[in-house]
Amino acid sequence: MSIVHKEIAAIREDYAKSSLNETDVLRNPIDQFSKWFQEAIASEVTEPTAMVVSSADQKGRPSSRVVLLKDIKSNGISFFTNYNSRKGQEMIANPFVSVLFFWPELQRQVRFEAEVEKLPDEDSDEYYASRPRSSQLGAIASPQSEVIADRKVLEDRVYAVEKEFEKTEHIPRPTFWGGFLLKPYRMEFWQGRSSRLHDRIVFEKQADDWKIIRIAP
């Protein structure tokens, strides 16, 4: 039985766990994000590193997916993927993305609007070397975002890669796989509040500084 629209509309929760004011936030949004991220970990949020990354093709048509944050740097955040995947190709061709973290246990969201660039090879090499061997092999075997006939195709490719590298202790990173750095020029910190009157504090990049504003919910 399908859920009727009135039942969907009746699903609601009042947010009243915390508040956020302009005077509460740190002056740098990456520092503020790091603070909230540590609080998410301390609160045992489910998948605190999960973030929705939205890219767009050259016609402006967007696509979104969940990926995992792997590092917080002084000028942005990073994750790793197959450069030949849909997201990889879109970010290379159109190097701007939006990013969303949602931590429902804390009634918080963080939104990034960011410019994209590839991480240096040494950063990608270092992270790839730290991955479990099975993940390394999977990254090589999977033609990410390409059409395959069935799962057996993927399993056969994994088996072939396992045989190829069975006597290799350190598997080299494939050149088509690596990291992206997302450098924000706008960030929003959203704290749920009662009666949908949420707190929204925005950082906008201005030259080498950040302007802090509040926007209405």
Side-chain angles (χ1 to χ4, degrees):
M1 179 182 295
S2 62
I3 301 176
V4 299
H5 72 279
K6 289 184 178 179
E7 292 174 314
I8 296 174
I11 300 172
R12 57 173 57 89
E13 178 181 352
D14 196 35
Y15 297 143
K17 286 189 175 181
S18 190
S19 63
L20 184 66
N21 295 307
E22 295 87 333
T23 55
D24 296 335
V25 296
L26 302 175
R27 299 297 94 182
N28 183 291
I30 300 297
D31 294 339
Q32 178 63 35
F33 174 74
S34 296
K35 180 176 182 290
W36 269 22
F37 181 70
Q38 291 300 323
E39 289 174 5
I41 293 174
S43 299
E44 299 184 343
V45 165
T46 302
E47 291 286 14
T49 65
M51 59 184 186
V52 178
V53 173
S54 299
S55 56
D57 64 19
Q58 291 180 306
K59 294 184 179 180
R61 296 173 297 194
S63 61
S64 301
R65 74 287 295 163
V66 176
V67 301
L68 300 180
L69 170 73
K70 289 303 177 183
D71 196 11
I72 303 173
K73 299 179 180 293
S74 61
N75 60 341
I77 59 176
S78 63
F79 76 99
F80 296 84
T81 189
N82 186 317
Y83 289 139
N84 294 330
S85 65
R86 178 177 178 180
K87 61 181 173 295
Q89 288 299 296
E90 287 185 348
M91 288 190 291
I92 291 169
N94 179 20
F96 295 93
V97 296
S98 68
V99 178
L100 173 65
F101 288 85
F102 178 45
W103 299 313
E105 296 91 338
L106 297 176
Q107 300 173 345
R108 287 176 174 174
Q109 298 182 64
V110 183
R111 298 171 59 190
F112 287 68
E113 294 174 24
E115 187 172 2
V116 179
E117 64 181 41
K118 283 185 177 180
L119 285 172
D121 287 344
E122 53 267 30
D123 287 13
S124 294
D125 290 341
E126 180 182 3
Y127 176 68
Y128 186 80
S130 74
R131 304 184 86 202
R133 186 178 180 88
S134 59
S135 296
Q136 294 176 337
L137 295 171
I140 296 171
S142 176
Q144 193 175 123
S145 300
E146 293 183 16
V147 175
I148 57 175
D150 52 35
R151 184 169 180 85
K152 187 175 185 302
V153 171
L154 185 61
E155 292 170 347
D156 288 347
R157 288 177 65 101
V158 171
Y159 177 76
V161 172
E162 287 175 340
K163 296 297 289 182
E164 179 182 354
F165 290 101
E166 64 181 348
K167 296 181 179 180
T168 304
E169 182 179 359
H170 301 294
I171 301 173
R173 176 182 64 89
T175 57
F176 57 78
W177 191 97
F180 283 108
L181 175 65
L182 313 179
K183 301 185 298 182
Y185 50 85
R186 189 178 194 273
M187 289 179 63
E188 177 185 329
F189 295 85
W190 182 101
Q191 177 67 61
R193 297 293 301 274
S194 184
S195 303
R196 297 297 186 262
L197 297 176
H198 312 303
D199 289 326
R200 300 176 67 187
I201 304 300
V202 172
F203 290 74
E204 293 182 339
K205 190 71 179 289
Q206 294 188 338
D208 295 327
D209 202 1
W210 292 91
K211 179 181 179 182
I212 302 175
I213 59 175
R214 173 182 285 270
I215 61 176

